[in-house]
Amino acid sequence: MSNENKSIHEFDFNLICEYFSTIERQGPGSPEVTIRALSFIENLSDESHIADIGCGTGGQTRVMAQHAPGHITGIDLFPIFIDLFNIHAGKLNLQAKMKGVIGSMDNLPFQEEALDLIWSEGAIYNIGFERGLNEWRKFLKAGGHVAVSEISWFTEKRPAEIDAFWQEEYPEIDTIPNKVAQLQKAGYIPVANFILPENCWTEHYYDPQVKAQEVFLRKYKGDKTAEELIENQRHEALLYSRYKAYYGYVFYIGKKI
Ligand code: SAH
């Protein structure tokens, strides 16, 4: 196919949502990583207010609800994800701890200085790392934390093919020291950062997609858009296996001064 460089953003949103709603996570991550990131957050209590922005179907939110005190509001643009978020919460009897609402990360439904923690796994790229950190800060209480995972370069230089791919997909991709500097400039103390292990991409993200892709392609046999979407995902997974030494997801944790 000739669509190798087509950005996922150009595909039909309904199709994307349907595809991603069939898998546990909509981005790289794992329960272990969520718990590790949580370990850097101080001072949470049963009264804490937490926002999980770009929560998707809530894989990581359920882990947080089971491991952190306080109440979590999940925000996502897409109703189908929020429906699943609330259904899954109900099944685990977590509806008193986590509630999903439809909303956009560029227009959050919170009062200023209302939140103790802003969480966002694999989603801040939708608004941009710097813009998100700057705009979301006002919703945090002084001493509150932000914890976001973001695609980052591991090295100063990298092969042209992968450089071109990510420059096209997400030009804000940058090295870890540059991301930490942006976090600090946005008014947070850089508390911690760590690279997500490889199994967050394989075991928890790309591997479950193999089966989901077969089912999806069977359902949409002959549908060019659906076929291109899957081709695009497969291409991204192939690039990851080839160039994973050069990039990955990094968790960045900051504390509002
Ligand atoms: N945090 C989840 C989902 C990550 S995928 C996980 O790690 O599994 C990115 C998510 O951001 C998707 O669910 C997508 O619907 C959501 N999203 C995209 N643009 C958004 C916006 N403007 N506001 C809120 N959510 C958005």
Side-chain angles (χ1 to χ4, degrees), residues 24-28 52-56 60 75-78 81 103-106 121-123 125-126:
E24 167 78 10
R25 300 192 57 97
Q26 290 76 48
D52 183 4
I53 302 175
C55 58
Q60 72 292 325
I75 306 272
D76 203 281
L77 202 50
F78 295 109
F81 290 160
S104 185
M105 59 178 74
D106 56 14
E121 293 197 31
Y125 71 88
N126 286 295

mmCIF file of all heavy atoms in Angstrom, residues 24-28 52-56 60 75-78 81 103-106 121-123 125-126, ligand 1:
data_model
loop_
_atom_site.group_PDB
_atom_site.id
_atom_site.type_symbol
_atom_site.label_atom_id
_atom_site.label_comp_id
_atom_site.label_asym_id
_atom_site.label_seq_id
_atom_site.Cartn_x
_atom_site.Cartn_y
_atom_site.Cartn_z
ATOM 1 N N GLU A 24 -7.587 -3.292 25.182
ATOM 2 C CA GLU A 24 -7.531 -2.894 26.596
ATOM 3 C C GLU A 24 -7.006 -1.464 26.768
ATOM 4 O O GLU A 24 -7.520 -0.690 27.567
ATOM 5 C CB GLU A 24 -6.630 -3.906 27.331
ATOM 6 C CG GLU A 24 -6.184 -3.534 28.732
ATOM 7 C CD GLU A 24 -7.281 -3.751 29.767
ATOM 8 O OE1 GLU A 24 -8.302 -4.367 29.430
ATOM 9 O OE2 GLU A 24 -7.098 -3.284 30.907
ATOM 10 N N ARG A 25 -5.989 -1.125 26.011
ATOM 11 C CA ARG A 25 -5.370 0.193 26.135
ATOM 12 C C ARG A 25 -5.366 0.877 24.775
ATOM 13 O O ARG A 25 -5.307 0.206 23.751
ATOM 14 C CB ARG A 25 -3.915 0.075 26.580
ATOM 15 C CG ARG A 25 -3.651 -0.595 27.899
ATOM 16 C CD ARG A 25 -2.197 -0.332 28.277
ATOM 17 N NE ARG A 25 -1.951 1.101 28.316
ATOM 18 C CZ ARG A 25 -1.979 1.812 29.433
ATOM 19 N NH1 ARG A 25 -2.183 1.249 30.583
ATOM 20 N NH2 ARG A 25 -1.772 3.108 29.401
ATOM 21 N N GLN A 26 -5.353 2.194 24.792
ATOM 22 C CA GLN A 26 -5.287 2.932 23.537
ATOM 23 C C GLN A 26 -3.901 3.530 23.309
ATOM 24 O O GLN A 26 -3.675 4.276 22.367
ATOM 25 C CB GLN A 26 -6.352 4.022 23.502
ATOM 26 C CG GLN A 26 -7.774 3.487 23.375
ATOM 27 C CD GLN A 26 -8.305 2.897 24.670
ATOM 28 O OE1 GLN A 26 -8.194 3.497 25.724
ATOM 29 N NE2 GLN A 26 -8.868 1.707 24.598
ATOM 30 N N GLY A 27 -2.970 3.217 24.202
ATOM 31 C CA GLY A 27 -1.599 3.695 24.055
ATOM 32 C C GLY A 27 -0.682 2.812 24.884
ATOM 33 O O GLY A 27 -1.163 2.038 25.725
ATOM 34 N N PRO A 28 0.654 2.921 24.667
ATOM 35 C CA PRO A 28 1.581 2.081 25.430
ATOM 36 C C PRO A 28 1.534 2.388 26.929
ATOM 37 O O PRO A 28 1.424 3.538 27.333
ATOM 38 C CB PRO A 28 2.952 2.454 24.854
ATOM 39 C CG PRO A 28 2.664 3.039 23.514
ATOM 40 C CD PRO A 28 1.343 3.729 23.656
ATOM 41 N N ASP A 52 -7.884 12.365 35.095
ATOM 42 C CA ASP A 52 -7.157 11.524 34.136
ATOM 43 C C ASP A 52 -7.576 11.994 32.745
ATOM 44 O O ASP A 52 -8.684 11.708 32.281
ATOM 45 C CB ASP A 52 -7.493 10.049 34.363
ATOM 46 C CG ASP A 52 -6.698 9.138 33.429
ATOM 47 O OD1 ASP A 52 -5.844 9.649 32.678
ATOM 48 O OD2 ASP A 52 -6.932 7.915 33.456
ATOM 49 N N ILE A 53 -6.674 12.729 32.107
ATOM 50 C CA ILE A 53 -7.024 13.426 30.866
ATOM 51 C C ILE A 53 -6.659 12.588 29.640
ATOM 52 O O ILE A 53 -5.539 12.096 29.538
ATOM 53 C CB ILE A 53 -6.328 14.804 30.843
ATOM 54 C CG1 ILE A 53 -6.776 15.597 32.072
ATOM 55 C CG2 ILE A 53 -6.638 15.549 29.559
ATOM 56 C CD1 ILE A 53 -6.073 16.913 32.244
ATOM 57 N N GLY A 54 -7.607 12.457 28.725
ATOM 58 C CA GLY A 54 -7.418 11.554 27.579
ATOM 59 C C GLY A 54 -7.408 10.128 28.102
ATOM 60 O O GLY A 54 -6.566 9.315 27.746
ATOM 61 N N CYS A 55 -8.418 9.826 28.927
ATOM 62 C CA CYS A 55 -8.438 8.554 29.686
ATOM 63 C C CYS A 55 -8.746 7.343 28.827
ATOM 64 O O CYS A 55 -8.492 6.208 29.235
ATOM 65 C CB CYS A 55 -9.450 8.649 30.825
ATOM 66 S SG CYS A 55 -11.124 9.034 30.237
ATOM 67 N N GLY A 56 -9.297 7.548 27.614
ATOM 68 C CA GLY A 56 -9.672 6.400 26.795
ATOM 69 C C GLY A 56 -10.690 5.540 27.527
ATOM 70 O O GLY A 56 -11.569 6.054 28.246
ATOM 71 N N GLN A 60 -5.722 2.501 32.614
ATOM 72 C CA GLN A 60 -4.844 3.031 33.685
ATOM 73 C C GLN A 60 -5.652 3.637 34.823
ATOM 74 O O GLN A 60 -5.214 3.613 35.978
ATOM 75 C CB GLN A 60 -3.840 4.052 33.135
ATOM 76 C CG GLN A 60 -4.415 5.403 32.727
ATOM 77 C CD GLN A 60 -5.309 5.332 31.506
ATOM 78 O OE1 GLN A 60 -5.052 4.551 30.600
ATOM 79 N NE2 GLN A 60 -6.362 6.121 31.472
ATOM 80 N N ILE A 75 -11.473 12.170 31.623
ATOM 81 C CA ILE A 75 -11.986 13.050 30.565
ATOM 82 C C ILE A 75 -11.526 12.504 29.224
ATOM 83 O O ILE A 75 -10.339 12.228 29.039
ATOM 84 C CB ILE A 75 -11.385 14.473 30.687
ATOM 85 C CG1 ILE A 75 -11.601 15.065 32.074
ATOM 86 C CG2 ILE A 75 -11.884 15.379 29.575
ATOM 87 C CD1 ILE A 75 -12.870 15.795 32.254
ATOM 88 N N ASP A 76 -12.447 12.352 28.305
ATOM 89 C CA ASP A 76 -12.050 11.985 26.942
ATOM 90 C C ASP A 76 -13.036 12.603 25.961
ATOM 91 O O ASP A 76 -14.208 12.810 26.270
ATOM 92 C CB ASP A 76 -12.005 10.466 26.760
ATOM 93 C CG ASP A 76 -11.084 10.050 25.611
ATOM 94 O OD1 ASP A 76 -11.516 10.159 24.437
ATOM 95 O OD2 ASP A 76 -9.932 9.636 25.883
ATOM 96 N N LEU A 77 -12.511 12.859 24.777
ATOM 97 C CA LEU A 77 -13.300 13.499 23.732
ATOM 98 C C LEU A 77 -14.381 12.564 23.184
ATOM 99 O O LEU A 77 -15.418 13.018 22.714
ATOM 100 C CB LEU A 77 -12.326 13.887 22.611
ATOM 101 C CG LEU A 77 -12.673 14.974 21.626
ATOM 102 C CD1 LEU A 77 -13.134 16.239 22.324
ATOM 103 C CD2 LEU A 77 -11.451 15.271 20.748
ATOM 104 N N PHE A 78 -14.137 11.254 23.251
ATOM 105 C CA PHE A 78 -15.003 10.342 22.510
ATOM 106 C C PHE A 78 -15.993 9.585 23.396
ATOM 107 O O PHE A 78 -15.595 8.824 24.273
ATOM 108 C CB PHE A 78 -14.160 9.389 21.670
ATOM 109 C CG PHE A 78 -13.408 10.121 20.597
ATOM 110 C CD1 PHE A 78 -12.042 10.284 20.676
ATOM 111 C CD2 PHE A 78 -14.096 10.697 19.538
ATOM 112 C CE1 PHE A 78 -11.358 11.003 19.692
ATOM 113 C CE2 PHE A 78 -13.429 11.418 18.556
ATOM 114 C CZ PHE A 78 -12.053 11.571 18.633
ATOM 115 N N PHE A 81 -15.589 5.799 24.210
ATOM 116 C CA PHE A 81 -14.574 5.465 25.223
ATOM 117 C C PHE A 81 -15.122 5.725 26.632
ATOM 118 O O PHE A 81 -14.900 4.939 27.555
ATOM 119 C CB PHE A 81 -13.295 6.283 25.022
ATOM 120 C CG PHE A 81 -12.496 5.916 23.792
ATOM 121 C CD1 PHE A 81 -11.580 6.799 23.244
ATOM 122 C CD2 PHE A 81 -12.663 4.674 23.174
ATOM 123 C CE1 PHE A 81 -10.838 6.461 22.117
ATOM 124 C CE2 PHE A 81 -11.924 4.325 22.042
ATOM 125 C CZ PHE A 81 -11.009 5.233 21.512
ATOM 126 N N GLY A 103 -15.311 15.338 27.415
ATOM 127 C CA GLY A 103 -14.795 16.707 27.449
ATOM 128 C C GLY A 103 -13.500 16.780 26.674
ATOM 129 O O GLY A 103 -12.954 15.753 26.264
ATOM 130 N N SER A 104 -13.017 18.010 26.484
ATOM 131 C CA SER A 104 -11.775 18.175 25.726
ATOM 132 C C SER A 104 -10.666 18.725 26.601
ATOM 133 O O SER A 104 -10.893 19.584 27.463
ATOM 134 C CB SER A 104 -11.990 19.108 24.535
ATOM 135 O OG SER A 104 -10.788 19.144 23.783
ATOM 136 N N MET A 105 -9.462 18.232 26.353
ATOM 137 C CA MET A 105 -8.312 18.649 27.155
ATOM 138 C C MET A 105 -7.941 20.118 26.939
ATOM 139 O O MET A 105 -7.170 20.674 27.703
ATOM 140 C CB MET A 105 -7.118 17.737 26.904
ATOM 141 C CG MET A 105 -6.632 17.655 25.479
ATOM 142 S SD MET A 105 -5.172 16.596 25.348
ATOM 143 C CE MET A 105 -5.830 14.947 25.521
ATOM 144 N N ASP A 106 -8.500 20.744 25.903
ATOM 145 C CA ASP A 106 -8.215 22.169 25.736
ATOM 146 C C ASP A 106 -9.323 23.042 26.332
ATOM 147 O O ASP A 106 -9.306 24.271 26.188
ATOM 148 C CB ASP A 106 -7.956 22.527 24.261
ATOM 149 C CG ASP A 106 -9.100 22.124 23.348
ATOM 150 O OD1 ASP A 106 -10.201 21.815 23.869
ATOM 151 O OD2 ASP A 106 -8.884 22.103 22.128
ATOM 152 N N GLU A 121 -1.898 9.562 30.409
ATOM 153 C CA GLU A 121 -1.010 8.563 29.793
ATOM 154 C C GLU A 121 -1.240 8.524 28.284
ATOM 155 O O GLU A 121 -2.359 8.293 27.821
ATOM 156 C CB GLU A 121 -1.255 7.174 30.395
ATOM 157 C CG GLU A 121 -0.838 7.085 31.844
ATOM 158 C CD GLU A 121 -0.681 5.652 32.349
ATOM 159 O OE1 GLU A 121 -0.311 4.753 31.561
ATOM 160 O OE2 GLU A 121 -0.923 5.433 33.555
ATOM 161 N N GLY A 122 -0.164 8.776 27.554
ATOM 162 C CA GLY A 122 -0.211 8.646 26.096
ATOM 163 C C GLY A 122 -1.246 9.520 25.428
ATOM 164 O O GLY A 122 -1.812 9.140 24.398
ATOM 165 N N ALA A 123 -1.503 10.707 25.978
ATOM 166 C CA ALA A 123 -2.581 11.529 25.414
ATOM 167 C C ALA A 123 -2.243 13.007 25.288
ATOM 168 O O ALA A 123 -2.845 13.706 24.472
ATOM 169 C CB ALA A 123 -3.840 11.371 26.266
ATOM 170 N N TYR A 125 -0.043 14.503 23.843
ATOM 171 C CA TYR A 125 0.398 14.900 22.498
ATOM 172 C C TYR A 125 -0.750 15.523 21.692
ATOM 173 O O TYR A 125 -0.526 16.283 20.755
ATOM 174 C CB TYR A 125 1.003 13.707 21.736
ATOM 175 C CG TYR A 125 -0.005 12.673 21.308
ATOM 176 C CD1 TYR A 125 -0.673 12.785 20.089
ATOM 177 C CD2 TYR A 125 -0.319 11.588 22.124
ATOM 178 C CE1 TYR A 125 -1.624 11.848 19.707
ATOM 179 C CE2 TYR A 125 -1.268 10.646 21.744
ATOM 180 C CZ TYR A 125 -1.910 10.784 20.537
ATOM 181 O OH TYR A 125 -2.862 9.863 20.162
ATOM 182 N N ASN A 126 -1.992 15.192 22.077
ATOM 183 C CA ASN A 126 -3.134 15.740 21.332
ATOM 184 C C ASN A 126 -3.232 17.258 21.441
ATOM 185 O O ASN A 126 -3.752 17.924 20.543
ATOM 186 C CB ASN A 126 -4.444 15.111 21.815
ATOM 187 C CG ASN A 126 -4.607 13.690 21.320
ATOM 188 O OD1 ASN A 126 -4.730 13.459 20.124
ATOM 189 N ND2 ASN A 126 -4.577 12.724 22.239
HETATM 190 N N1 SAH B 1 -4.837 7.079 28.436
HETATM 191 C C1 SAH B 1 -5.352 6.019 27.591
HETATM 192 C C2 SAH B 1 -5.655 6.490 26.159
HETATM 193 C C3 SAH B 1 -4.494 7.031 25.385
HETATM 194 S S1 SAH B 1 -4.879 7.317 23.660
HETATM 195 C C4 SAH B 1 -4.371 4.866 27.583
HETATM 196 O O1 SAH B 1 -3.197 5.067 27.925
HETATM 197 O O2 SAH B 1 -4.772 3.764 27.221
HETATM 198 C C5 SAH B 1 -5.220 9.054 23.621
HETATM 199 C C6 SAH B 1 -6.609 9.414 24.108
HETATM 200 O O3 SAH B 1 -6.785 10.833 24.016
HETATM 201 C C7 SAH B 1 -7.739 8.792 23.283
HETATM 202 O O4 SAH B 1 -8.620 8.116 24.143
HETATM 203 C C8 SAH B 1 -8.410 9.992 22.621
HETATM 204 O O5 SAH B 1 -9.802 9.822 22.434
HETATM 205 C C9 SAH B 1 -8.114 11.088 23.608
HETATM 206 N N2 SAH B 1 -8.187 12.455 23.078
HETATM 207 C C10 SAH B 1 -7.770 12.906 21.864
HETATM 208 N N3 SAH B 1 -7.958 14.221 21.767
HETATM 209 C C11 SAH B 1 -8.539 14.627 22.942
HETATM 210 C C12 SAH B 1 -8.984 15.891 23.457
HETATM 211 N N4 SAH B 1 -8.869 16.997 22.731
HETATM 212 N N5 SAH B 1 -9.493 15.923 24.698
HETATM 213 C C13 SAH B 1 -9.622 14.804 25.444
HETATM 214 N N6 SAH B 1 -9.218 13.586 25.012
HETATM 215 C C14 SAH B 1 -8.684 13.497 23.778
#
